[in-house]
Amino acid sequence: MVVSVTNPAVKDICKRKGKESWLACYHRLNLFRSELAFNRIIGSVISYVKGDPRHIQGKHLKSYKAPMTSLAMCQEVMTMGIHTVQFCITKTTGCYNFASVEVGVIRPIEDLETKKTTYEGGIHHAKYYRRNAKAGDVIEIQLDLNEGCMKVIDEPDDFQSGLAGPYCWYAILQSSNSYTAALRVKRIT
């Protein structure tokens, strides 16, 4: 069966890489069609909101005065094409009613655990940091692996170039005894 594809993002996803099988392309397409989810959490101060892996929250720490951070990574490994995602701040708590949030792309953790990992380019993560994130804030980021750049849609001056190879979306939340946050990830393209 032959299907005409008009969405440029889907066209990029469906391109085979080297000797890659069509089954691998189909798997990538299914990942692209599925909702993004944070499938890996590193650290102890992030948890899912009501068991939803698309929605994470920082744990309010009662005994620690210094902020602690944890990282959550999405399951999709992006190697080519244009990808746009929204990180929606759904809640902030604390005496200032804002929190610190870092979002962006990072190398897949499976690749970082191997000793002989080589990548195109030398950039292993690209980030956007918002110090005063408030509930209702939306951070929209576009990763263009065809051009090798990542940009924050609302802030054209925040631009990272030189990106090549595999990346995953990630978020870092800071938590302390005085503030924390929650955010939801959503794929746009």
Side-chain angles (χ1 to χ4, degrees):
M1 177 201 262
V2 177
V3 178
S4 175
V5 177
T6 57
N7 182 336
V10 174
K11 281 184 180 181
D12 284 340
I13 295 293
C14 291
K15 289 180 184 173
R16 285 177 35 184
K17 295 181 284 182
K19 296 180 179 183
E20 181 180 54
S21 71
W22 283 110
L23 191 57
C25 288
Y26 181 67
H27 175 70
R28 227 181 16 257
L29 181 61
N30 281 334
L31 275 177
F32 178 77
R33 289 178 173 165
S34 67
E35 293 195 33
L36 281 177
F38 294 108
N39 70 325
R40 179 167 285 180
I41 293 176
I42 300 171
S44 60
V45 296
I46 290 181
S47 64
Y48 296 125
V49 175
K50 297 181 182 174
D52 183 356
R54 297 166 298 168
H55 198 182
I56 57 172
Q57 64 186 354
K59 296 177 182 174
H60 191 74
L61 304 174
K62 295 179 182 175
S63 60
Y64 292 97
K65 291 183 181 179
M68 294 180 65
T69 59
S70 288
L71 177 134
M73 292 177 60
C74 290
Q75 81 280 9
E76 179 182 344
V77 176
M78 301 165 289
T79 57
M80 60 176 35
I82 300 171
H83 308 268
T84 307
V85 70
Q86 285 182 342
F87 294 96
C88 307
I89 312 302
T90 58
K91 179 175 93 172
T92 55
T93 60
C95 55
Y96 305 112
N97 206 26
F98 64 82
S100 299
V101 175
E102 179 183 315
V103 293
V105 291
I106 192 168
R107 297 291 189 191
I109 203 75
E110 292 82 8
D111 290 341
L112 292 176
E113 290 173 349
T114 62
K115 292 182 181 178
K116 295 182 180 181
T117 302
T118 58
Y119 295 109
E120 299 174 49
I123 300 173
H124 296 300
H125 85 287
K127 68 179 179 179
Y128 172 73
Y129 183 74
R130 184 167 292 177
R131 184 178 309 276
N132 298 322
K134 296 180 181 175
D137 286 358
V138 176
I139 303 167
E140 188 169 329
I141 298 179
Q142 183 179 72
L143 175 66
D144 184 343
L145 288 171
N146 299 333
E147 297 294 323
C149 63
M150 183 184 92
K151 63 182 176 182
V152 179
I153 300 299
D154 293 339
E155 298 186 28
D157 294 337
D158 202 307
F159 183 85
Q160 174 78 49
S161 60
L163 303 172
Y167 290 99
C168 297
W169 296 109
Y170 80 92
I172 292 178
L173 298 179
Q174 277 191 348
S175 295
S176 75
N177 63 350
S178 60
Y179 64 86
T180 189
L183 69 81
R184 178 181 294 275
V185 64
K186 179 181 177 185
R187 180 193 322 275
I188 303 301
T189 60

